[in-house]
Amino acid sequence: MAKLSLDGVSKQFGDARPAVVDFSLDLGEGGFLALLGPSGCGKTTLLRMIAGFETPTGGQIRLGDRLLSDAVGVVPPERRNMAMVFQSYALWPHMSVAQNVGYPLKVRGISGEEHRRRVVDALQSVHLLPYAERRPADLSGGQRQRVALARCLVMQPDVVLLDEPLANLDRHLRQEMEETFRSFHQRSGATMIYVTHDQAEAMVLATDVAVMSQGRLLQMAQPAELYARPNGRLVGGLIGQGVILALADDGYPARDYDGERIGRALARTDDAVCHVDVLVRPQDVEVAGGGLDARVTSIVFEGERYSARARLDAGAEVAFYCRTSLSVGERLSLAIRHGWRLS
Ligand SMILES: Nc1ncnc2c1ncn2[C@@H]1O[C@H](COP(=O)(O)OP(=O)(O)OP(=O)(O)O)[C@@H](O)[C@H]1O
């Protein structure tokens, strides 16, 4: 196994706006990358280029020192030792679970004891051995997805590409499958790339998250880093909860804003020429005396806590959590503890 490198990769379909633009990243061996972005931003196109189903119009894709794709030529998908798992599972309905999982081995002429052993291992790893003789139609959605995973595991791929594999599952099953993906990743040691537009899924699963918009890479970082230090409005708005305040720019060079600085900026009544975007997370806003006067605009019970929003008398709206219920319209005082300047 080796590092996967994308260097200035682009893709344009005909005269349309480019689907992927000058995209570069390195993913270390055994890494788990989530490719996150809104619908139509080019995630699937990028994945298909990595798999070899699409030819880039520019740039290069490498696995270790092996050139897989550039605008001149591509190594065909079957010679990349990569496996792709789709949203639709793509299982053969007339084959049993074991036959589905063993199919890629059969195609490569692997039979007998080795075939049997690899199928059993793959089924065991996704806890489906007792279902080996069933047909896909007799399985739940989550079980079908696990068959698709086992079928990819059986090939011992260097890279596993997953295109929104949980999109068709309900919330409970998604959580269960997230666990399956994590242990699959640990067990296989494969490099994984996981396409999703669900930021929560990306954050819990991946070792690295790449945020895309309009074909471009906006930021790639580990989940905790991306959450704490997002770059730009788009990433700030996409990752985690919070509101973005447009504050008068006082030339402060650092990106961490304390509550005092935010309060001062909010209190300014002159028309500032320049503004900065400052992200304020709900956990950094507290109901506390002597803070900023506000009026509650919404409150939602989330089980462990309430999630609320309030409009400050200074104009902006902020989000916060609280332990007890509040009424819409209720007056209260809020202390903002911290903010992060997005650019
Ligand atoms: N084969 C194709 N021919 C022409 N245009 C295409 C083709 N495939 C994708 N596109 C265009 O490229 C852009 C990116 O599409 P892509 O499917 O990669 O986005 P995505 O981020 O995966 O979206 P989604 O989350 O909705 O699946 C879109 O504007 C899409 O219409």
Side-chain angles (χ1 to χ4, degrees):
M1 268 178 258
K3 185 174 81 172
L4 181 72
S5 300
L6 276 63
D7 184 13
V9 172
S10 299
K11 178 71 186 182
Q12 181 149 16
F13 294 101
D15 297 334
R17 192 165 53 83
V20 175
V21 189
D22 195 18
F23 196 105
S24 299
L25 65 76
D26 286 332
L27 181 61
E29 179 180 328
F32 191 156
L33 175 77
L35 213 49
L36 177 70
S39 182
C41 73
K43 305 181 293 292
T44 299
T45 303
L46 195 68
L47 206 67
R48 289 175 57 80
M49 286 194 281
I50 296 169
F53 297 128
E54 298 283 358
T55 308
T57 38
Q60 294 187 336
I61 300 173
R62 293 177 178 276
L63 189 61
D65 45 21
R66 196 168 161 224
L67 178 63
L68 296 182
S69 308
D70 61 13
V72 184
V74 287
V75 174
E78 64 276 11
R79 289 190 35 229
R80 293 185 177 212
N81 201 24
M82 293 184 180
M84 195 150 167
V85 179
F86 302 92
Q87 206 180 98
S88 59
Y89 321 135
L91 302 177
W92 299 104
H94 60 287
M95 290 185 191
S96 69
V97 165
Q99 286 168 334
N100 264 286
V101 172
Y103 188 74
L105 298 174
K106 192 172 158 195
V107 168
R108 285 164 181 78
I110 299 169
S111 58
E113 179 49 27
E114 187 183 352
H115 179 106
R116 199 197 66 81
R117 184 182 47 75
R118 281 172 68 170
V119 170
V120 167
D121 279 357
L123 284 175
Q124 241 161 3
S125 72
V126 295
H127 310 296
L128 277 183
L129 198 52
Y131 299 83
E133 297 314 317
R134 285 217 195 161
R135 293 284 160 95
D138 303 327
L139 299 175
S140 71
Q143 289 166 335
R144 283 180 212 169
Q145 189 55 280
R146 273 160 35 209
V147 178
L149 260 184
R151 187 180 50 188
C152 124
L153 188 67
V154 84
M155 289 314 299
Q156 297 161 351
D158 291 330
V159 181
V160 180
L161 305 167
L162 303 128
D163 194 359
E164 304 223 29
L166 304 184
N168 289 332
L169 304 182
D170 66 35
R171 190 161 162 236
H172 178 71
L173 260 180
R174 286 169 84 109
Q175 277 172 350
E176 198 180 301
M177 285 302 296
E178 281 168 12
E179 199 42 54
T180 309
F181 282 125
R182 258 195 300 268
S183 60
F184 172 84
H185 176 238
Q186 278 160 9
R187 175 184 283 260
S188 65
T191 302
M192 290 173 62
I193 303 183
Y194 188 102
V195 161
T196 180
H197 57 253
D198 180 337
Q199 61 95 18
E201 199 169 280
M203 302 289 270
V204 298
L205 279 175
T207 56
D208 297 273
V209 179
V211 184
M212 272 183 94
S213 173
Q214 300 192 342
R216 293 177 193 275
L217 175 64
L218 298 181
Q219 189 175 4
M220 177 171 156
Q222 293 178 0
E225 167 74 11
L226 201 61
Y227 185 85
R229 284 177 275 279
N231 257 331
R233 269 191 83 88
L234 229 145
V235 182
L238 200 67
I239 302 294
Q241 307 296 319
V243 292
I244 299 171
L245 303 179
L247 300 182
D249 185 5
D250 61 0
Y252 183 58
R255 294 179 70 178
D256 278 306
Y257 273 44
D258 62 21
E260 220 172 289
R261 182 168 299 281
I262 295 172
R264 263 203 314 276
L266 284 168
R268 271 178 71 165
T269 49
D270 57 319
D271 285 336
V273 184
C274 293
H275 287 86
V276 286
D277 290 326
V278 174
L279 173 68
V280 176
R281 300 281 191 202
Q283 66 271 26
D284 293 324
V285 179
E286 287 170 24
V287 181
L292 303 162
D293 293 326
R295 185 184 292 279
V296 177
T297 52
S298 73
I299 177 120
V300 177
F301 181 53
E302 291 183 339
E304 299 79 13
R305 63 187 177 199
Y306 291 88
S307 180
R309 291 176 89 89
R311 181 159 298 282
L312 303 171
D313 289 359
E317 195 171 55
V318 290
F320 60 103
Y321 301 129
C322 51
R323 285 173 171 276
T324 51
S325 185
L326 298 167
S327 310
V328 171
E330 190 174 330
R331 304 272 315 160
L332 77 180
S333 163
L334 292 174
I336 300 179
R337 306 285 180 212
H338 176 257
W340 171 257
R341 181 159 57 77
L342 287 167
S343 54

